[in-house]
Amino acid sequence: MMQSIKCRNGQVKGNDNSAEKKQIDVRLSETEAALEDATEWAQVTLNLIGDAVVTTDRESRVTYLNRVAESLTGWSNHDALGKPLDQVLMLIDGQTLETAANPAQRAMEENRTVGLAMDCVLIRKDGSQLLIEDSAAPIHDREGYLQGAVIVFHDACRSPTHSSKLAYQAQHDALTELPNRVLLSERLSRAIGLAKRHHHQVALLYLDLDAFKAINDSLGHAIGDFLLQSVAERLSKCVRNTDTICRQGGDEFVVLLSEIEKPQNATEVAEKILLELAESHLICHNELHITASVGISIYPEHGSDESTLLNNADTAMYHAKKSGRNNYQLFNEDMNALKTQTSNLGSQLNLALKADALFLDFQPRIDLATGYMVSAEALVRWHNPTLGLMQPSAFLPVAEARGLMVPIGYWVLGEACRRLQAWRREGDNIVPIAVNMSAMQLRDKSLPARVAEILVKTGLEARFLELEVTEGSLVHLHTNASISTLSELSRMGIRISIDDFGYGLASLKQLQCFPINTVNLAPCFVHDMFNNAEDAMFIKALINFGQNLSMRVNAKGVETLAQLNYLERQGCDGAQGFWLSKPLSATNFRVLLGPDRSNLQ
């Protein structure tokens, strides 16, 4: 047994270890104080940094938020403790708006630092949204055991990366990633400055895609967007790296040739562009054909500042469109006067359409076997208040440029049906009327429904209506949607015909796909068929070709008796032209519908 020990002070030390316990308590107290100091220091440090910090335990429950995290999430540290991370840090994908993956869970599962998804959006406590970016990492203890995760993030809108992204977006088109007007203006200004200093020339090419709106409206904006991207890619193949291609907006593009020696350099690029774009574009199983009208202006000949050069290139482009499309025109001063006149004409035409000031003439078509009129073509006319009676060739290109072809086309369709049914009610023996349809109308998916509505409204039977589309348009319309539209019209009992047959060079495959009843030989072939034996044989071949496909063949542009007799000998089914009858007013045409109508031959 241990004996008690007598100390010098006479006190006796027992065996209860009380002194040792006191020392342990002191050390523990000091350790706790140090830990509290370290924790406070860590929190102060975390609160001073510019990024938000959120920590979790292994079950992804929040264990800590620093002040930046409190500010960005809207949650206080006190309220967030123990809450599921998904509730405090609610994340969605900014593109799809779907819930984004939990970054802490990913970091723990994969045991590595992971970045937040691009365009990651934080839904704050008050429901507002904030674009954030950064990363998450697992937390381990000294032995390496997983204890949780830490997420560090910041407001992406204030980051250098985001600032660069915003700067890029401000200067580029989102769809094609080409420079936009802002960047074009900067580069054009720089190019003009260098051209002044070094005495060289600059060229601007202004492009407008022909009939793009019809494709966009009929096949949908998604197809239209893909086509614009394809055009942008092809334009890039036609210029140098030092040049700039800009999407001006819609289906308009501008090409800046920053340094040229002579205008011919610009026209050569324009020719290259036209050839490149003319190749078919395969978009979502649709074989699309697109052309462009190009206007060119040259510094300093056509302007010494950005605005003048751009306006003059635009004017030249408009002239190219008026000159038949799929071509380029170099600006000259006479074009400005023409543009002003055309602009005024477009405004007057728009008013005429709204005021129902257009009217129809009718040109008879005869059956060559009997000599009797079997149908007629409706032809739109306009009596301009200042210029007088205008031919369609003078105002229809203006209508197309102003986007009036579709409303004019539906007006012609409605007026032809209305007049025909009115004559029938009054006892006239009516004949089918052929109405020309623009490619824009035929790309309109609502065309069958609108035609049906007109027939119901007027009471006209579908068999008295024939819709004509040019062979050139047929080549560009070779899509499933267009075939479906014409097939639906055919099932309604409406006759479908090809105009200017032989001129557009449609393939046999295309002709077989469309429900065609009649082909109209282009007038140019009728006019030239006596020039030589080859022309005459070509007319004969066209007639045989059409009839072998079980189509009625009608020749247009017959102006002489010799032409009529030759067509009859070749077995052509019908004819139309000045030799038989000029276009007639509605009043004069109605006379031919009476019971005493005579043979036109």
Side-chain angles (χ1 to χ4, degrees):
M1 176 181 287
M2 288 185 61
Q3 301 294 321
S4 60
I5 301 173
K6 189 173 182 179
C7 298
R8 289 181 180 179
N9 58 9
Q11 293 181 338
V12 178
K13 182 179 179 182
N15 57 359
D16 56 1
N17 298 323
S18 59
E20 185 178 353
K21 286 184 178 180
K22 286 181 181 180
Q23 290 177 353
I24 292 173
D25 289 342
V26 170
R27 287 199 300 270
L28 181 60
S29 177
E30 290 174 349
T31 301
E32 288 177 347
L35 183 59
E36 288 179 3
D37 290 342
T39 302
E40 184 178 351
W41 178 85
Q43 290 182 349
V44 168
T45 302
L46 290 174
N47 285 331
L48 288 176
I49 67 174
D51 285 349
V53 178
V54 178
T55 62
T56 75
D57 59 18
R58 285 178 295 183
E59 283 70 40
S60 291
R61 291 189 296 264
V62 174
T63 57
Y64 173 74
L65 274 74
N66 72 347
R67 288 177 184 172
V68 178
E70 289 180 320
S71 174
L72 294 185
T73 63
W75 286 82
S76 69
N77 183 58
H78 179 271
D79 291 339
L81 291 179
K83 295 282 194 309
L85 179 64
D86 290 342
Q87 183 177 346
V88 176
L89 200 68
M90 186 184 301
L91 303 176
I92 63 172
D93 187 308
Q95 297 295 325
T96 65
L97 301 184
E98 296 179 354
T99 302
N102 182 324
Q105 192 65 39
R106 277 189 59 209
M108 288 188 287
E109 289 176 353
E110 299 176 17
N111 196 29
R112 66 180 182 89
T113 300
V114 297
L116 297 184
M118 291 294 292
D119 296 319
C120 193
V121 175
L122 167 65
I123 307 299
R124 305 175 75 236
K125 190 176 182 182
D126 62 4
S128 60
Q129 299 182 8
L130 181 69
L131 186 66
I132 64 172
E133 62 182 21
D134 230 332
S135 61
I139 299 175
H140 301 92
D141 62 16
R142 289 183 178 180
E143 284 73 32
Y145 292 107
L146 181 68
Q147 297 299 315
V150 58
I151 304 100
V152 181
F153 60 94
H154 57 258
D155 182 350
C157 296
R158 297 183 179 179
S159 70
T161 301
H162 189 72
S163 298
S164 299
K165 183 178 179 181
L166 289 178
Y168 180 86
Q169 291 174 341
Q171 296 182 323
H172 290 79
D173 172 53
L175 177 65
T176 62
E177 297 188 0
L178 292 176
N180 60 15
R181 297 183 186 191
V182 175
L183 188 52
L184 174 69
S185 178
E186 292 180 10
R187 292 185 178 178
L188 178 55
S189 177
R190 190 185 311 138
I192 290 174
L194 290 172
K196 285 180 181 178
R197 192 175 312 149
H198 300 293
H199 306 290
H200 59 248
Q201 300 179 63
V202 175
L204 272 188
L205 281 66
Y206 201 116
L207 287 80
D208 183 88
L209 301 181
D210 301 325
F212 172 78
K213 186 178 184 299
I215 295 176
N216 203 41
D217 291 345
S218 61
L219 299 180
H221 295 297
I223 299 295
D225 286 348
F226 285 134
L227 180 57
L228 289 174
Q229 290 171 340
S230 178
V231 168
E233 184 179 343
R234 294 194 185 187
L235 289 176
S236 300
K237 299 177 182 178
C238 300
V239 299
R240 303 164 298 189
N241 292 334
T242 53
D243 298 323
T244 297
I245 305 167
C246 159
R247 184 183 175 209
Q248 189 77 349
D251 60 340
E252 295 179 339
F253 297 81
V254 175
V255 176
L256 165 62
L257 304 180
S258 56
E259 181 179 347
I260 60 171
E261 295 180 359
K262 52 189 177 182
Q264 186 181 350
N265 298 144
T267 60
E268 288 170 353
V269 173
E271 290 172 354
K272 188 175 180 181
I273 287 172
L274 293 177
L275 288 173
E276 186 69 34
L277 294 184
E279 294 291 329
S280 61
H281 301 250
L282 186 61
I283 308 292
C284 298
H285 306 295
N286 293 293
E287 187 177 334
L288 303 180
H289 297 265
I290 195 81
T291 56
S293 299
V294 183
I296 305 172
S297 64
I298 307 294
Y299 168 87
E301 182 181 354
H302 302 141
S304 58
D305 59 85
E306 302 168 40
S307 178
T308 303
L309 285 172
L310 197 59
N311 287 335
N312 288 343
D314 181 31
T315 298
M317 179 277 294
Y318 186 83
H319 193 74
K321 201 169 277 289
K322 190 176 182 353
S323 301
R325 303 185 170 199
N326 194 27
N327 71 98
Y328 66 86
Q329 295 290 328
L330 196 63
F331 175 78
N332 64 65
E333 288 297 336
D334 294 339
M335 290 180 179
N336 277 326
L338 178 63
K339 185 177 181 180
T340 301
Q341 178 185 348
T342 303
S343 178
N344 294 336
L345 194 63
S347 299
Q348 292 176 331
L349 182 57
N350 191 27
L351 292 174
L353 181 61
K354 292 179 179 178
D356 205 22
L358 304 177
F359 63 94
L360 295 180
D361 280 349
F362 300 87
Q363 188 171 29
R365 292 174 175 173
I366 69 162
D367 180 83
L368 286 177
T370 65
Y372 283 99
M373 179 176 67
V374 290
S375 63
E377 180 180 9
L379 302 167
V380 65
R381 298 288 189 259
W382 178 30
H383 196 281
N384 185 281
T386 56
L387 300 175
L389 182 64
M390 298 189 67
Q391 293 299 315
S393 59
F395 67 83
L396 287 184
V398 177
E400 194 164 5
R402 292 292 292 266
L404 296 175
M405 283 299 291
V406 171
I408 287 177
Y410 282 119
W411 180 88
V412 172
L413 187 61
E415 178 67 6
C417 292
R418 184 190 68 78
R419 281 196 173 276
L420 210 54
Q421 183 62 10
W423 291 333
R424 190 182 193 192
R425 288 195 185 104
E426 294 174 14
D428 294 323
N429 297 317
I430 63 173
V431 295
I433 297 295
V435 175
N436 292 291
M437 304 298 287
S438 69
M440 294 182 183
Q441 281 179 283
L442 289 164
R443 290 189 177 102
D444 182 2
K445 294 179 181 179
S446 68
L447 176 62
R450 297 187 70 168
V451 172
E453 182 182 357
I454 290 172
L455 292 176
V456 170
K457 184 177 180 179
T458 59
L460 184 69
E461 295 177 42
R463 64 191 178 93
F464 288 107
L465 180 62
E466 182 175 313
L467 301 181
E468 291 186 349
V469 54
T470 64
E471 186 182 2
S473 297
L474 195 67
V475 173
H476 297 292
L477 282 168
H478 193 234
T479 65
N480 292 335
S482 300
I483 294 171
S484 176
T485 295
L486 289 179
S487 297
E488 188 173 349
L489 289 166
S490 180
R491 287 192 295 270
M492 290 166 57
I494 296 168
R495 297 180 64 81
I496 309 296
S497 64
I498 301 178
D499 215 16
D500 291 339
F501 182 64
Y503 188 74
L505 301 177
S507 67
L508 177 60
K509 179 181 178 182
Q510 289 172 317
L511 293 177
Q512 288 177 321
C513 288
F514 289 97
I516 307 300
N517 303 109
T518 304
V519 292
N520 297 318
L521 302 183
C524 60
F525 297 122
V526 176
H527 297 162
D528 298 339
M529 64 184 181
F530 292 138
N531 289 348
N532 54 57
E534 289 183 358
D535 290 335
M537 290 299 295
F538 187 63
I539 278 284
K540 183 177 181 180
L542 287 176
I543 293 171
N544 292 336
F545 181 72
Q547 291 175 341
N548 287 338
L549 292 176
S550 300
M551 300 175 188
R552 180 179 174 84
V553 180
N554 182 67
K556 299 181 74 172
V558 178
E559 297 181 351
T560 68
L561 180 60
Q563 292 171 349
L564 185 69
N565 290 337
Y566 180 81
L567 291 167
E568 190 173 2
R569 288 196 303 271
Q570 301 308 318
C572 190
D573 299 299
Q576 172 186 352
F578 279 16
W579 176 258
L580 300 165
S581 173
K582 293 182 178 180
L584 303 172
S585 67
T587 301
N588 291 336
F589 177 72
R590 187 182 177 186
V591 173
L592 299 180
L593 300 177
D596 58 342
R597 68 185 184 193
S598 59
N599 185 303
L600 290 178
Q601 275 189 268

